[in-house]
Amino acid sequence: MIDIFDDTYFMKKALIEAEEAYRLGEIPVGAIVVSENQVIGRGYNLTEQLIDVTAHAEIQAITAASNFLGAKFLTNCTLYVTLEPCQMCAGALYWSRVSRVVFAAEDIKRGYRAMGAKLHPKTQITTGVLEGEASNLLKSFFAEKRR
């Protein structure tokens, strides 16, 4: 039997969020929070729309998931995001105590690892899930901006 609820399945959902950001002229990063195979939070970058530098996809998804659960901690939850979280988002993930983070593309210049930030010590990390798709979306966006 094939388990449709794997990392690829959920990362595809995060990519749908990233595509919506692209459509709006935002940097195409999307995120979802999953608990017990159910999407309980979703978000995409809204920094331009909201004129708010903190309106990253991860922050939007964390807030939605916390509202869904009625709790500030996201233990037993997984965040799927199309780009490695930045230092600010790593801090939010740390404080939310999310159990697992799965990201697609690395951000070698501004990702939390390059900046020396850390996630919660109990947070498990998986990288590279649908990396090509996420990277291509970002490359297309920035190529279009340069035209």
Side-chain angles (χ1 to χ4, degrees), residues 112-125:
Y112 77 95
R113 296 176 302 174
M115 303 297 285
K118 300 198 183 309
L119 299 177
H120 193 277
K122 293 183 179 178
T123 299
Q124 298 174 352
I125 303 161

Side-chain angles (χ1 to χ4, degrees), residues 18 26 39 45 77 141 144 146-147:
E26 298 277 355
V39 176
N45 276 357
C77 294
F141 175 81
E144 189 176 295
R146 286 190 289 273
R147 280 188 225 139

Side-chain angles (χ1 to χ4, degrees), residues 76-129:
N76 301 315
C77 294
T78 300
L79 175 100
Y80 291 85
V81 62
T82 59
L83 182 64
E84 178 180 351
C86 70
Q87 181 172 317
M88 174 187 70
C89 292
L93 291 164
Y94 181 99
W95 290 110
S96 72
R97 298 185 190 172
V98 69
S99 297
R100 185 167 175 244
V101 173
V102 179
F103 66 84
E106 285 185 274
D107 188 343
I108 59 172
K109 292 183 180 177
R110 294 184 182 90
Y112 77 95
R113 296 176 302 174
M115 303 297 285
K118 300 198 183 309
L119 299 177
H120 193 277
K122 293 183 179 178
T123 299
Q124 298 174 352
I125 303 161
T126 302
T127 65
V129 177

